[in-house]
Amino acid sequence: MDARAMKTETRPQTGAAGELPPWPVVAVYGAGAVGCYFGARLAEAGAPVTLIARPHHVDAIRAEGLLFESGGRQHRVAVAADTGTDPVRNADIVLFCVKTRDTPSGGAELRPLLKPGAIVVSLQNGVDNVPRLRETGVDALGAVVYVAASMAGPGHLLHAGRGDLVIGEYGTTTRHGTPPFDEATSFDGPTSFDGTPSPRTALISGLFERAGVGCKPVGDVRAELWTKLVMNCVFNAMSALGHSHYGPLVERPDTRAVARDLVEECVAVARAEGVAVADADTLYEAALRLGQAMAPATSSTEQDLSLGRPTEIDSLNGYVTARGEALGVATPVNRALAALVRVQELALR
Amino acid sequence: MDARAMKTETRPQTGAAGELPPWPVVAVYGAGAVGCYFGARLAEAGAPVTLIARPHHVDAIRAEGLLFESGGRQHRVAVAADTGTDPVRNADIVLFCVKTRDTPSGGAELRPLLKPGAIVVSLQNGVDNVPRLRETGVDALGAVVYVAASMAGPGHLLHAGRGDLVIGEYGTTTRHGTPPFDEATSFDGPTSFDGTPSPRTALISGLFERAGVGCKPVGDVRAELWTKLVMNCVFNAMSALGHSHYGPLVERPDTRAVARDLVEECVAVARAEGVAVADADTLYEAALRLGQAMAPATSSTEQDLSLGRPTEIDSLNGYVTARGEALGVATPVNRALAALVRVQELALR
């Protein structure tokens, strides 16, 4: 551990003593904008949080705290920061926040460090981080992250909107105490186990809610992950390839027709995956509303291409295409958009 | 007519007198790079040609002739030029060379000027210029133009490659002296009337060949037009949206798969139109060869978007999409690419 690292054990434990349990120890692994946002919210509420981040952020956060800017206002959040992974050894909860392309290497690094009973939560883009973490021997909860945030400079978090989560188990393979189907439906309680959060989901959700962060617990997070993926498949590549804000994409009949094709292909793949997403009509209408609500926005893919950075297209339209190929579902429009984004990435290098 | 216009009647008539008939009078309507190239070739051979062009080109051509640059060499071609349309009144042959979007206005301007028996030849991109000309009351031959040329400055033609034509009647509605099907197949001659050029096709083809311009006469030019359209649908939008040369588009498995989808959609629409294009396998292989042969090229659509100019996408992937919709043939990939090019056009304005 870096000699200058704040010891998480020395941080004050807030919360009304005797009423609330002590905060668990939290490590944020790969603290970029998303990790800094949720880590800072937990730290402000009193949780002992360590942000594991790049050196220039760590230096700034140690010197002056995290500069948290939101809605035109700034304040500083005192939070531990480290460039090394030692804080993971002591963590009860690890928020896993690396870029999707770093999921395998991150999981491999985490696995030997995790203490027994530690809960890992993937706060990442893309729908397949949890199974990819499992391949490294790390079990994790999945989360859908709704936050607009970026790092505006060393230790400087710029929060632009929202900041809430949906959290749950990933699929059916790690259901905790799953009752038989008959039993689940014969009670006067929840009729679908998919809607019943696991105990660890409820625990994590409760911690975020205690810190004032909206966190909806669900049984199977995959439907929510795929719903967000469908929206991203509609807007990310089209915004990037058309050099367009979201507004025109949902106003023009031709791009609306493309959006409809993209939604239908995604829904077909999700259903073939066994994920209970809504039907194409519902998701198409949701996409149109999203595009209207975010008319002036451009996508992260557009921003990545504009800045000559690699995109996350292989976790978006490229992922749907790959899963479609594996499952025998045709995705010609997603494939075309993914291929063109990849070609443009090459052209930029 | 502009007072400084050279009189086409005063140009020398070359060709061995007594052996070859006199050259017909030629007007090139909308002389950009394509019109200047073929007009200059005819003029050099001795035909009385007038280039009807924009003022800055006309001024330069009148002052010093057309500067013809090809293969690193330059020479000047003496050829008449005019900003007005009067030379059409005297023309036996009109080469119609305007941008496809100007076909209706151009046809309307031409119609009252054409003398009886004048032959109009469309030397344009796109497959539907002849029917659109017919809507203005102008009948025309169709041609597929294979030339790489651009205007490098006022009166300065830069020729980069090829320079040949395929020419023929457009479809079946203007077949001249069409024999009944039985008769056409029962002779020991051509078994398909589509392969037999009409008399006026043979006439025009003969003139170009006399000027040293390769010109293949066919019965129905639509299959050749659609074959070129398929190639353009593969490369134009992909090159533009991917900011890519042709080479990577045919080397990468993902973009090859998109090319295959584009070809299949185009062939399905062409067949529904009743146009006898080759099958998708054949045209896909042809596209791969073309991409390899022209690996360093980028498309005119890419160049248009880069320069902030409107593209001809509605004559390319957009045309296939519109015809597909009219004929009940799904073209999702062509539709997506056309829509994204259009959105980018808007974004550039």
Side-chain angles (χ1 to χ4, degrees):
Chain A
M1 187 188 282
D2 189 299
R4 293 178 299 165
M6 292 169 68
K7 294 288 186 291
T8 54
E9 294 82 350
T10 63
R11 299 219 4 108
Q13 308 280 314
T14 56
E19 294 179 16
L20 289 168
W23 287 95
V25 176
V26 178
V28 180
Y29 181 82
V34 168
C36 283
Y37 177 81
F38 291 101
R41 295 296 305 272
L42 291 170
E44 286 191 289
V49 174
T50 303
L51 305 175
I52 298 171
R54 293 189 184 163
H56 62 296
H57 292 308
V58 169
D59 290 346
I61 294 166
R62 284 177 172 174
E64 306 191 77
L66 178 75
L67 179 59
F68 191 116
E69 179 173 350
S70 181
R73 297 185 176 190
Q74 298 185 338
H75 69 287
R76 294 196 181 267
V77 180
V79 57
D82 205 315
T83 57
T85 56
D86 267 1
V88 170
R89 298 182 190 277
N90 194 40
D92 303 300
I93 296 167
V94 178
L95 304 183
F96 189 74
C97 302
V98 301
K99 291 273 187 188
T100 55
R101 64 177 166 275
D102 297 325
T103 294
S105 59
E109 186 172 57
L110 271 193
R111 198 192 52 74
L113 305 175
L114 292 171
K115 74 176 186 183
I119 302 173
V120 179
V121 190
S122 159
L123 300 188
Q124 301 172 273
N125 290 322
V127 302
D128 65 337
N129 290 291
V130 172
R132 289 166 72 221
L133 273 172
R134 283 181 190 151
E135 287 171 9
T136 70
V138 173
D139 187 30
L141 290 170
V144 186
V145 181
Y146 295 105
V147 67
S150 58
M151 297 306 291
H156 181 183
L157 172 69
L158 181 60
H159 171 240
R162 293 191 67 170
D164 49 290
L165 302 166
V166 178
I167 201 164
E169 300 292 338
Y170 187 93
T172 57
T173 56
T174 56
R175 282 181 178 175
H176 295 257
T178 312
F181 181 78
D182 285 348
E183 191 178 346
T185 54
S186 61
F187 285 113
D188 192 16
T191 55
S192 164
F193 185 76
D194 282 357
T196 307
S198 68
R200 63 179 185 170
T201 299
L203 186 152
I204 300 292
S205 171
L207 287 174
F208 277 115
E209 291 285 354
R210 183 174 159 193
V213 173
C215 183
K216 179 184 168 193
V218 297
D220 184 350
V221 76
R222 293 184 308 159
E224 189 83 16
L225 284 165
W226 271 86
T227 299
K228 185 179 180 188
L229 175 63
V230 175
M231 299 302 129
N232 287 339
C233 283
V234 167
F235 290 105
N236 273 58
M238 281 217 287
S239 170
L241 294 170
H243 297 183
S244 179
H245 298 273
Y246 288 6
L249 300 177
V250 296
E251 284 157 19
R252 297 171 52 84
D254 54 357
T255 41
R256 283 166 75 111
V258 180
R260 175 84 204 192
D261 285 340
L262 291 165
V263 168
E264 288 186 2
E265 292 178 6
C266 289
V267 168
V269 174
R271 296 280 172 89
E273 283 273 28
V275 178
V277 290
D279 61 28
D281 285 342
T282 302
L283 290 172
Y284 173 64
E285 292 298 327
L288 296 186
R289 286 194 304 274
L290 178 64
Q292 286 151 4
M294 297 181 66
T298 59
S299 68
S300 61
T301 306
E302 200 283 327
Q303 292 157 30
D304 286 341
L305 286 183
S306 294
L307 294 169
R309 296 188 303 218
T311 72
E312 296 196 305
I313 196 68
D314 286 336
S315 299
L316 301 169
N317 308 76
Y319 179 73
V320 172
T321 301
R323 292 308 304 152
E325 280 171 13
L327 295 161
V329 178
T331 61
V333 182
N334 278 285
R335 176 164 70 181
L337 271 50
L340 290 169
V341 169
R342 282 192 214 103
V343 165
Q344 208 178 115
E345 283 181 319
L346 284 179
L348 291 164
R349 282 168 199 163
Chain B
M1 186 189 282
D2 189 301
R4 292 177 300 164
M6 291 170 69
K7 293 291 185 289
T8 56
E9 293 82 351
T10 63
R11 297 210 17 100
Q13 308 281 313
T14 57
E19 295 180 11
L20 288 169
W23 286 95
V25 176
V26 177
V28 180
Y29 181 82
V34 168
C36 283
Y37 178 80
F38 291 101
R41 295 296 304 273
L42 291 170
E44 285 190 290
V49 174
T50 303
L51 304 176
I52 299 171
R54 293 189 185 165
H56 62 295
H57 291 309
V58 170
D59 290 347
I61 294 165
R62 284 178 171 172
E64 307 190 78
L66 177 75
L67 179 59
F68 192 116
E69 180 173 350
S70 181
R73 297 185 176 190
Q74 296 186 340
H75 69 287
R76 294 196 180 268
V77 180
V79 57
D82 205 315
T83 58
T85 56
D86 267 2
V88 170
R89 297 182 190 277
N90 194 40
D92 302 300
I93 295 167
V94 178
L95 304 183
F96 189 74
C97 303
V98 300
K99 291 273 188 188
T100 54
R101 63 178 167 274
D102 298 324
T103 293
S105 59
E109 186 173 57
L110 272 193
R111 199 193 51 76
L113 306 175
L114 292 170
K115 75 177 185 182
I119 302 173
V120 180
V121 190
S122 159
L123 299 188
Q124 301 172 271
N125 288 324
V127 302
D128 65 337
N129 290 291
V130 172
R132 289 165 71 219
L133 273 172
R134 284 182 189 148
E135 287 171 10
T136 70
V138 174
D139 187 31
L141 290 170
V144 185
V145 181
Y146 295 105
V147 68
S150 57
M151 297 306 292
H156 180 184
L157 172 69
L158 180 60
H159 171 240
R162 293 191 67 168
D164 48 290
L165 301 166
V166 178
I167 202 164
E169 300 291 338
Y170 187 94
T172 57
T173 55
T174 55
R175 281 180 177 175
H176 295 258
T178 311
F181 181 76
D182 284 349
E183 190 175 348
T185 54
S186 62
F187 285 114
D188 192 18
T191 55
S192 165
F193 184 75
D194 282 355
T196 307
S198 68
R200 62 180 185 170
T201 298
L203 187 152
I204 299 292
S205 171
L207 288 174
F208 277 115
E209 292 284 354
R210 182 174 161 193
V213 173
C215 184
K216 178 184 168 192
V218 296
D220 183 350
V221 76
R222 293 184 306 159
E224 190 83 16
L225 284 167
W226 271 87
T227 299
K228 185 179 180 189
L229 174 64
V230 174
M231 299 302 130
N232 287 339
C233 283
V234 167
F235 290 106
N236 274 57
M238 282 217 287
S239 170
L241 294 170
H243 298 184
S244 179
H245 300 274
Y246 288 6
L249 300 177
V250 297
E251 284 157 19
R252 297 170 52 84
D254 55 356
T255 41
R256 282 166 76 111
V258 180
R260 175 84 205 193
D261 284 340
L262 290 165
V263 168
E264 288 187 1
E265 291 178 6
C266 289
V267 169
V269 173
R271 296 281 173 88
E273 283 273 28
V275 179
V277 290
D279 61 28
D281 285 342
T282 302
L283 290 173
Y284 173 64
E285 293 298 328
L288 296 186
R289 287 194 304 274
L290 178 64
Q292 286 151 4
M294 298 182 65
T298 59
S299 69
S300 62
T301 306
E302 200 282 327
Q303 292 157 30
D304 286 340
L305 286 184
S306 294
L307 296 169
R309 296 188 303 219
T311 73
E312 296 194 305
I313 196 68
D314 286 336
S315 299
L316 301 168
N317 308 76
Y319 179 73
V320 171
T321 301
R323 292 308 302 153
E325 280 171 15
L327 295 161
V329 177
T331 60
V333 181
N334 278 285
R335 176 163 71 181
L337 271 50
L340 290 170
V341 169
R342 283 192 212 104
V343 165
Q344 208 178 117
E345 283 181 319
L346 283 178
L348 291 164
R349 280 169 199 161

